[in-house]
Amino acid sequence: MSDAAPIGLPALEVDLARQLDLIGYTIAGGGGPDWTRPVATSGDPVHDVVIVGGGQSGLAAAFGLKRERVSNILVIDENPAGYEGPWETYARMITLRTPKELNPIDFGVPALTYRAWWEAQHGAAGWAAVDKIARGDWMAYLRWYRRVLDLPVRNDTKLDLIEPLEGGIHRLHLVGGTHLHARKVVLATGIQGGGEWFTPPMVRDALPRHLYAHTSEPVDYAAMQGKRIGILGGGASAFDNANFALTAGVGEAHVFIRRKKLPRINPIRFMERVGFTGRYPALDDAAKYAVMHSFLGHNQPPTNDTFTRAAAWPGFRLHLGAPWLSVTEKDGQAEVVTPDGAFTFDFLVLSTGLVSDPGLRPELRLVADGIARWSDRFTPEEGQGNALIDAHPYLGEGFELLPRGPEHTAALHGLFAFNYAALVSLGLSASALSGLKTALPRLVKGVTDQLFLDDREALVADLLAYDEAEFLGEWPPAERDAA
């Protein structure tokens, strides 16, 4: 297809069905009959797996499980259909930051790749003209991915609480008073799903809520025509928001960076180049700690095109070496004091990242105290500690949450953190496109291995008792006996 004109999505979908059939997968039947055993509790059916989050990670995890003949699954997402994940909610970059050649969620099926989807509509020349994938196009691809694979997603469904029950079952309490049951729960909850977005107390404690927002929140920039906004932070999202705001008609967007120089190094590019994304889990804890200490010390810089667009606006201002020393409300506006003086803004935007800590997740409030953190399992050399790393959960090889002590084992069994909280234990994986290609098979293996081992006694007993004849030949042949 790479040398041909656009064939259209219907033709691609025919090709996809053929490719899936060639690897033993059908849209209706998945990878074949399920091998897991039906389970019920109090008369209610129990899902083998419930995936929380219907974005790219959750959808791909569902496809991966169905390929392994685990189809008694459900994906739930709190957003309306087609608005899962950040791409049409709070993400404001024009393009993705990752190279277009990455194939993160296709599991090696050529017709399921983004490139195949794009070329079916725009041809090979259209693909060659793409520098980076447009944010809206990526979301359109995810909607198509969900549709053509017929993945079981329930939208407008928000998880409130995970309650461990007897027998390795979890009751999932949903907002609105209903519930689900699952043997395994995969938290595919994205970049914020392992903790919470960070709002500096100097802002939170000083200003009324209508004067500021985190970059992860909805912001009505169109209502700020001609106004001045101040943006705190030097990472990529700060420049994404500055460009987005100025495009929407904001008069001035001031970006304040604590450092005296713009961040220039993006370690993700090195990790992609040398296979760090896939091989990181093989490192020992000391090496992982050192790598992540360095990684977290780098703000992800803006892409060159994003910075160029933002800087070209007459209303763009950049303040280097300008940490916010204090923030106060003054005459209905926000006054920010920096080493360079005081600035008054109509609105503040915080590009201040997030904190990963399972204790911050409301859905984990019954089990959070029993989840092992890095501070429980590894002690760095004196003077090398990093509180951000220490608060991350210490995960098993398949993204499973591990217990602080044996008394917590039963409650945590079956819970998997396939979100940004996996960063320290398993590297760029669950919420980074760069790592999904290798992380997804690891997750699927972790979940299916647990399901198998949970039922091992029954499965082994059935194997030992198995007596279904496959070979039906006889000797001597019946016709010779008759002669």
Side-chain angles (χ1 to χ4, degrees), residues 276-291:
F276 233 102
T277 49
R279 306 285 79 79
Y280 173 91
L283 296 174
D284 62 28
D285 286 353
K288 288 179 179 179
Y289 203 97
V291 167

PDB file of all heavy atoms in Angstrom, residues 276-291:
ATOM      1  N   PHE A 276      16.206   1.612  25.347  1.00  0.00           N
ATOM      2  CA  PHE A 276      15.995   1.772  26.785  1.00  0.00           C
ATOM      3  C   PHE A 276      14.537   1.543  27.161  1.00  0.00           C
ATOM      4  O   PHE A 276      14.226   1.059  28.251  1.00  0.00           O
ATOM      5  CB  PHE A 276      16.399   3.191  27.205  1.00  0.00           C
ATOM      6  CG  PHE A 276      17.385   3.231  28.337  1.00  0.00           C
ATOM      7  CD1 PHE A 276      18.725   3.466  28.103  1.00  0.00           C
ATOM      8  CD2 PHE A 276      16.971   3.053  29.644  1.00  0.00           C
ATOM      9  CE1 PHE A 276      19.641   3.522  29.144  1.00  0.00           C
ATOM     10  CE2 PHE A 276      17.872   3.099  30.692  1.00  0.00           C
ATOM     11  CZ  PHE A 276      19.216   3.339  30.440  1.00  0.00           C
ATOM     12  N   THR A 277      13.623   1.917  26.262  1.00  0.00           N
ATOM     13  CA  THR A 277      12.210   1.816  26.599  1.00  0.00           C
ATOM     14  C   THR A 277      11.811   0.368  26.867  1.00  0.00           C
ATOM     15  O   THR A 277      11.023   0.096  27.779  1.00  0.00           O
ATOM     16  CB  THR A 277      11.356   2.395  25.462  1.00  0.00           C
ATOM     17  OG1 THR A 277      11.781   1.841  24.213  1.00  0.00           O
ATOM     18  CG2 THR A 277      11.480   3.900  25.396  1.00  0.00           C
ATOM     19  N   GLY A 278      12.336  -0.549  26.079  1.00  0.00           N
ATOM     20  CA  GLY A 278      11.967  -1.939  26.267  1.00  0.00           C
ATOM     21  C   GLY A 278      12.821  -2.695  27.254  1.00  0.00           C
ATOM     22  O   GLY A 278      12.349  -3.631  27.916  1.00  0.00           O
ATOM     23  N   ARG A 279      14.072  -2.302  27.410  1.00  0.00           N
ATOM     24  CA  ARG A 279      15.007  -3.070  28.241  1.00  0.00           C
ATOM     25  C   ARG A 279      15.156  -2.506  29.653  1.00  0.00           C
ATOM     26  O   ARG A 279      15.781  -3.153  30.507  1.00  0.00           O
ATOM     27  CB  ARG A 279      16.387  -3.100  27.565  1.00  0.00           C
ATOM     28  CG  ARG A 279      16.387  -3.596  26.125  1.00  0.00           C
ATOM     29  CD  ARG A 279      16.209  -5.092  26.020  1.00  0.00           C
ATOM     30  NE  ARG A 279      14.833  -5.535  26.176  1.00  0.00           N
ATOM     31  CZ  ARG A 279      13.912  -5.472  25.202  1.00  0.00           C
ATOM     32  NH1 ARG A 279      14.221  -4.946  24.027  1.00  0.00           N
ATOM     33  NH2 ARG A 279      12.690  -5.922  25.404  1.00  0.00           N
ATOM     34  N   TYR A 280      14.608  -1.345  29.904  1.00  0.00           N
ATOM     35  CA  TYR A 280      14.742  -0.724  31.229  1.00  0.00           C
ATOM     36  C   TYR A 280      14.352  -1.668  32.370  1.00  0.00           C
ATOM     37  O   TYR A 280      15.055  -1.710  33.402  1.00  0.00           O
ATOM     38  CB  TYR A 280      13.900   0.550  31.283  1.00  0.00           C
ATOM     39  CG  TYR A 280      13.820   1.205  32.646  1.00  0.00           C
ATOM     40  CD1 TYR A 280      14.734   2.175  33.033  1.00  0.00           C
ATOM     41  CD2 TYR A 280      12.829   0.843  33.566  1.00  0.00           C
ATOM     42  CE1 TYR A 280      14.655   2.774  34.283  1.00  0.00           C
ATOM     43  CE2 TYR A 280      12.744   1.429  34.814  1.00  0.00           C
ATOM     44  CZ  TYR A 280      13.664   2.395  35.173  1.00  0.00           C
ATOM     45  OH  TYR A 280      13.589   2.979  36.407  1.00  0.00           O
ATOM     46  N   PRO A 281      13.265  -2.448  32.259  1.00  0.00           N
ATOM     47  CA  PRO A 281      12.893  -3.303  33.395  1.00  0.00           C
ATOM     48  C   PRO A 281      13.956  -4.301  33.803  1.00  0.00           C
ATOM     49  O   PRO A 281      13.919  -4.820  34.926  1.00  0.00           O
ATOM     50  CB  PRO A 281      11.633  -4.020  32.883  1.00  0.00           C
ATOM     51  CG  PRO A 281      11.047  -3.084  31.876  1.00  0.00           C
ATOM     52  CD  PRO A 281      12.237  -2.475  31.193  1.00  0.00           C
ATOM     53  N   ALA A 282      14.917  -4.593  32.919  1.00  0.00           N
ATOM     54  CA  ALA A 282      15.975  -5.557  33.259  1.00  0.00           C
ATOM     55  C   ALA A 282      17.025  -4.966  34.196  1.00  0.00           C
ATOM     56  O   ALA A 282      17.845  -5.711  34.757  1.00  0.00           O
ATOM     57  CB  ALA A 282      16.645  -6.058  31.980  1.00  0.00           C
ATOM     58  N   LEU A 283      17.050  -3.642  34.390  1.00  0.00           N
ATOM     59  CA  LEU A 283      18.024  -3.016  35.279  1.00  0.00           C
ATOM     60  C   LEU A 283      17.755  -3.390  36.728  1.00  0.00           C
ATOM     61  O   LEU A 283      16.614  -3.661  37.118  1.00  0.00           O
ATOM     62  CB  LEU A 283      17.969  -1.493  35.131  1.00  0.00           C
ATOM     63  CG  LEU A 283      18.345  -0.899  33.769  1.00  0.00           C
ATOM     64  CD1 LEU A 283      18.079   0.600  33.765  1.00  0.00           C
ATOM     65  CD2 LEU A 283      19.800  -1.186  33.433  1.00  0.00           C
ATOM     66  N   ASP A 284      18.809  -3.355  37.548  1.00  0.00           N
ATOM     67  CA  ASP A 284      18.590  -3.549  38.975  1.00  0.00           C
ATOM     68  C   ASP A 284      18.072  -2.251  39.593  1.00  0.00           C
ATOM     69  O   ASP A 284      18.034  -1.198  38.951  1.00  0.00           O
ATOM     70  CB  ASP A 284      19.858  -4.043  39.672  1.00  0.00           C
ATOM     71  CG  ASP A 284      21.021  -3.062  39.585  1.00  0.00           C
ATOM     72  OD1 ASP A 284      20.799  -1.835  39.484  1.00  0.00           O
ATOM     73  OD2 ASP A 284      22.182  -3.519  39.609  1.00  0.00           O
ATOM     74  N   ASP A 285      17.663  -2.320  40.844  1.00  0.00           N
ATOM     75  CA  ASP A 285      17.015  -1.172  41.473  1.00  0.00           C
ATOM     76  C   ASP A 285      17.936   0.040  41.570  1.00  0.00           C
ATOM     77  O   ASP A 285      17.490   1.186  41.411  1.00  0.00           O
ATOM     78  CB  ASP A 285      16.510  -1.549  42.869  1.00  0.00           C
ATOM     79  CG  ASP A 285      15.271  -2.431  42.811  1.00  0.00           C
ATOM     80  OD1 ASP A 285      14.744  -2.630  41.696  1.00  0.00           O
ATOM     81  OD2 ASP A 285      14.843  -2.923  43.876  1.00  0.00           O
ATOM     82  N   ALA A 286      19.211  -0.198  41.843  1.00  0.00           N
ATOM     83  CA  ALA A 286      20.141   0.929  41.964  1.00  0.00           C
ATOM     84  C   ALA A 286      20.264   1.671  40.644  1.00  0.00           C
ATOM     85  O   ALA A 286      20.269   2.914  40.605  1.00  0.00           O
ATOM     86  CB  ALA A 286      21.512   0.436  42.431  1.00  0.00           C
ATOM     87  N   ALA A 287      20.346   0.927  39.540  1.00  0.00           N
ATOM     88  CA  ALA A 287      20.448   1.569  38.229  1.00  0.00           C
ATOM     89  C   ALA A 287      19.157   2.291  37.875  1.00  0.00           C
ATOM     90  O   ALA A 287      19.176   3.393  37.324  1.00  0.00           O
ATOM     91  CB  ALA A 287      20.790   0.530  37.167  1.00  0.00           C
ATOM     92  N   LYS A 288      18.009   1.671  38.167  1.00  0.00           N
ATOM     93  CA  LYS A 288      16.732   2.334  37.902  1.00  0.00           C
ATOM     94  C   LYS A 288      16.631   3.653  38.670  1.00  0.00           C
ATOM     95  O   LYS A 288      16.172   4.671  38.128  1.00  0.00           O
ATOM     96  CB  LYS A 288      15.574   1.421  38.301  1.00  0.00           C
ATOM     97  CG  LYS A 288      15.356   0.235  37.389  1.00  0.00           C
ATOM     98  CD  LYS A 288      14.188  -0.624  37.878  1.00  0.00           C
ATOM     99  CE  LYS A 288      13.938  -1.808  36.958  1.00  0.00           C
ATOM    100  NZ  LYS A 288      12.832  -2.665  37.424  1.00  0.00           N
ATOM    101  N   TYR A 289      17.047   3.622  39.918  1.00  0.00           N
ATOM    102  CA  TYR A 289      16.964   4.828  40.749  1.00  0.00           C
ATOM    103  C   TYR A 289      17.833   5.940  40.149  1.00  0.00           C
ATOM    104  O   TYR A 289      17.403   7.098  40.048  1.00  0.00           O
ATOM    105  CB  TYR A 289      17.404   4.510  42.174  1.00  0.00           C
ATOM    106  CG  TYR A 289      16.871   5.461  43.224  1.00  0.00           C
ATOM    107  CD1 TYR A 289      15.737   5.135  43.959  1.00  0.00           C
ATOM    108  CD2 TYR A 289      17.500   6.677  43.478  1.00  0.00           C
ATOM    109  CE1 TYR A 289      15.248   5.998  44.936  1.00  0.00           C
ATOM    110  CE2 TYR A 289      17.019   7.544  44.440  1.00  0.00           C
ATOM    111  CZ  TYR A 289      15.892   7.205  45.172  1.00  0.00           C
ATOM    112  OH  TYR A 289      15.409   8.068  46.130  1.00  0.00           O
ATOM    113  N   ALA A 290      19.047   5.576  39.739  1.00  0.00           N
ATOM    114  CA  ALA A 290      19.952   6.576  39.166  1.00  0.00           C
ATOM    115  C   ALA A 290      19.404   7.130  37.858  1.00  0.00           C
ATOM    116  O   ALA A 290      19.458   8.343  37.597  1.00  0.00           O
ATOM    117  CB  ALA A 290      21.333   5.952  38.944  1.00  0.00           C
ATOM    118  N   VAL A 291      18.853   6.249  37.021  1.00  0.00           N
ATOM    119  CA  VAL A 291      18.304   6.690  35.741  1.00  0.00           C
ATOM    120  C   VAL A 291      17.138   7.641  35.963  1.00  0.00           C
ATOM    121  O   VAL A 291      17.045   8.707  35.328  1.00  0.00           O
ATOM    122  CB  VAL A 291      17.863   5.479  34.901  1.00  0.00           C
ATOM    123  CG1 VAL A 291      17.000   5.916  33.719  1.00  0.00           C
ATOM    124  CG2 VAL A 291      19.080   4.713  34.395  1.00  0.00           C
TER     125      VAL A 291
END
